[in-house]
């Protein structure tokens, strides 16, 4: 979710931004690490996922696809690459930071939280224990976020991972596609082009995924 599109083996981003991911300073903003709004641009997770090199992810493509119906779009990037879902349990630094950022984004009453986009799971595909506990952990995450933001019907759009290089990846995919909570839908990344690491999506695939997420939002939840 943080985006590794265009990041090479030397951990350097090539700076290529597809038209679908272009900035629009009048309509697309991001909440930065200082909890301030600023015009959004790639890499969307710059300084947010601060221990790794960020490139193109699906966020900007999603926002560009959504802006015509939504008007101004505020993105609240919170992703940290390479994390397992247990690291997003209530009380963990990642979870509490995510909830804090989301609450701050709407504290002045000028907007509303429309959806949570969730793309994660490869790190849970490494061991049988993590894979078998994924469903419970994911469902708990949804319940906790909705409770802590006081949004009991918050739409959640989850991405089923597109890489099956790890031993239990198919199990994770099965779980992700089989979570039947109200207002939770799944977008399948299988078939989108992967980088040479056979794990992360290419720049073009990230842009395509962003459009898929927007399509899923409007098909299921309206403008």
């Amino acid at each position: 979710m943080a985006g590794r599109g265009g990041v090479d083996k030397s951990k350097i981003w090539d700076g290529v931004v597809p038209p679908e991911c272009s900035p629009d300073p009048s309509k697309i903003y991001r909440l930065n690490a200082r909890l301030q709004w600023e015009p959004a641009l790639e890499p969307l997770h710059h300084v947010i996922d601060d221990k790794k090199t960020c490139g193109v992810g699906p966020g900007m493509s999603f926002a560009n696809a959504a802006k015509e119906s939504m008007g101004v779009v505020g993105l609240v990037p919170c992703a940290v690459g390479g994390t397992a879902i247990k690291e997003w349990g209530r009380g963990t630094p990642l979870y509490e930071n995510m909830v804090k950022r989301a609450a701050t984004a709407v504290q002045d009453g000028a907007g509303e939280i429309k959806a949570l986009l969730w793309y994660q799971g490869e790190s849970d595909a490494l061991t049988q224990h993590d894979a078998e506990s994924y469903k419970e952990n994911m469902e708990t995450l949804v319940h906790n976020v909705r409770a802590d933001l006081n949004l009991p019907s918050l739409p959640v759009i989850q991405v089923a991972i597109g890489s099956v290089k790890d031993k239990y990846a198919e199990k994770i995919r099965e779980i992700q596609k089989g979570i039947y909570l109200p207002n939770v839908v799944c977008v399948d990344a299988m078939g989108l082009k992967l980088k040479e690491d056979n794990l992360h999506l290419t720049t073009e695939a990230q842009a395509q995924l962003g459009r898929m997420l927007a399509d899923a939002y409007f098909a299921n939840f309206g403008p």
Side-chain angles (χ1 to χ4, degrees):
M1 189 71 204
R4 303 289 181 255
V7 177
D8 64 19
K9 294 179 180 179
S10 301
K11 311 302 181 185
I12 298 173
W13 179 46
D14 61 15
V16 175
V17 177
E20 309 96 304
C21 303
S22 297
D24 184 343
S26 67
K27 287 191 174 182
I28 304 176
Y29 296 84
R30 80 155 189 164
L31 194 72
N32 65 26
R34 300 183 303 277
L35 302 179
Q36 299 170 336
W37 289 109
E38 65 184 12
L41 73 166
E42 298 286 9
L44 184 64
H45 278 78
H46 177 63
V47 186
I48 305 296
D49 186 7
D50 61 354
K51 293 181 173 58
K52 296 184 178 181
T53 302
C54 295
V56 172
M60 288 297 296
S61 175
F62 169 85
N64 274 300
K67 67 185 181 183
E68 296 307 322
S69 296
M70 288 186 173
V72 175
V73 177
L75 299 171
V76 185
C78 300
V80 176
T83 53
I85 198 166
K86 62 188 177 185
E87 297 177 73
W88 295 86
R90 181 185 270 158
T92 63
L94 292 178
Y95 177 87
E96 297 302 328
N97 181 61
M98 175 178 64
V99 170
K100 176 184 177 182
R101 288 175 56 76
T104 300
V106 293
Q107 67 181 3
D108 61 1
E112 61 179 311
I113 299 174
K114 303 291 283 188
L116 168 66
L117 308 181
W118 187 264
Y119 181 13
Q120 177 273 340
E122 292 89 346
S123 294
D124 292 283
L126 301 175
T127 70
Q128 182 176 356
H129 176 269
D130 286 347
E132 289 179 347
S133 60
Y134 192 85
K135 180 178 175 65
E136 179 180 357
N137 286 337
M138 183 62 201
E139 291 180 345
T140 298
L141 174 73
V142 172
H143 291 306
N144 287 346
V145 170
R146 287 174 169 173
D148 292 343
L149 293 176
N150 195 29
L151 295 170
S153 300
L154 176 69
V156 177
I157 306 176
Q158 182 180 27
V159 179
I161 58 175
S163 169
V164 292
K165 66 176 293 187
D166 295 314
K167 185 174 182 180
Y168 297 99
E170 288 289 2
K171 176 66 175 178
I172 296 295
R173 283 180 41 78
E174 177 186 341
I175 291 170
Q176 291 172 327
K177 294 188 292 180
I179 291 179
Y180 300 112
L181 295 176
N183 285 357
V184 176
V185 298
C186 184
V187 168
D188 196 348
M190 179 60 71
L192 295 180
K193 188 174 181 180
L194 299 172
K195 295 168 56 178
E196 292 180 358
D197 62 7
N198 200 32
L199 180 66
H200 296 103
L201 297 180
T202 64
T203 294
E204 294 76 14
Q206 287 280 21
Q208 184 177 348
L209 177 60
R211 296 192 300 273
M212 292 166 61
L213 288 165
D215 289 343
Y217 177 83
F218 290 116
N220 290 277
F221 308 113

